[in-house]
Amino acid sequence: MSRICELTGKGRQVGNNVSHANNKTKRVFLPNLQNVTLLSEKLERGFKFRVSTHGLRSVEHNGGLDNWLLKTKDEKLSSRALKVKRELKKAAADAA
């Protein structure tokens, strides 16, 4: 399983460990991923995602999963998140 946030697309970064003697060795910075169930208000059910803590804060800041998915570009979202986004758009079209 790749270490990428399903909602923000945030992935690993590469950098250096720097010792006291200024020796540099490559290292990887991994995002803090958590398995969470986010509730959709419009679909009235929960969806499981692997989300970074930064992504979780962003979702809450934007007013929940529904608003976040509708505002975010498709390139950043995982295939599971895109599926939920399509369901949201379909539910909105049926309601209108």
Side-chain angles (χ1 to χ4, degrees):
M1 187 180 297
S2 62
R3 303 246 182 191
I4 297 176
C5 175
E6 291 188 282
L7 298 181
T8 61
K10 185 177 191 132
R12 67 184 202 139
Q13 290 184 320
V14 178
N16 288 314
N17 279 332
V18 181
S19 70
H20 189 64
N22 207 27
N23 297 329
K24 295 172 184 72
T25 57
K26 285 290 186 184
R27 64 157 296 178
V28 175
F29 295 92
L30 297 174
N32 184 7
L33 297 178
Q34 306 293 325
N35 293 315
V36 294
T37 302
L38 297 171
L39 300 175
S40 169
E41 295 172 0
K42 293 179 185 172
L43 300 176
E44 298 179 347
R45 57 181 276 226
F47 296 95
K48 288 187 176 185
F49 291 109
R50 194 161 188 225
V51 184
S52 65
T53 52
H54 173 8
L56 200 54
R57 286 171 54 113
S58 298
V59 168
E60 292 301 320
H61 179 76
N62 281 295
L65 180 65
D66 298 344
N67 289 339
W68 172 261
L69 288 174
L70 294 175
K71 287 182 180 180
T72 307
K73 294 179 183 176
D74 290 352
E75 296 85 44
K76 284 189 172 184
L77 298 173
S78 69
S79 58
R80 290 191 332 182
L82 282 171
K83 185 177 176 185
V84 176
K85 186 174 181 176
R86 281 193 295 272
E87 285 183 40
L88 278 171
K89 286 184 177 179
K90 184 177 179 185
D94 291 344

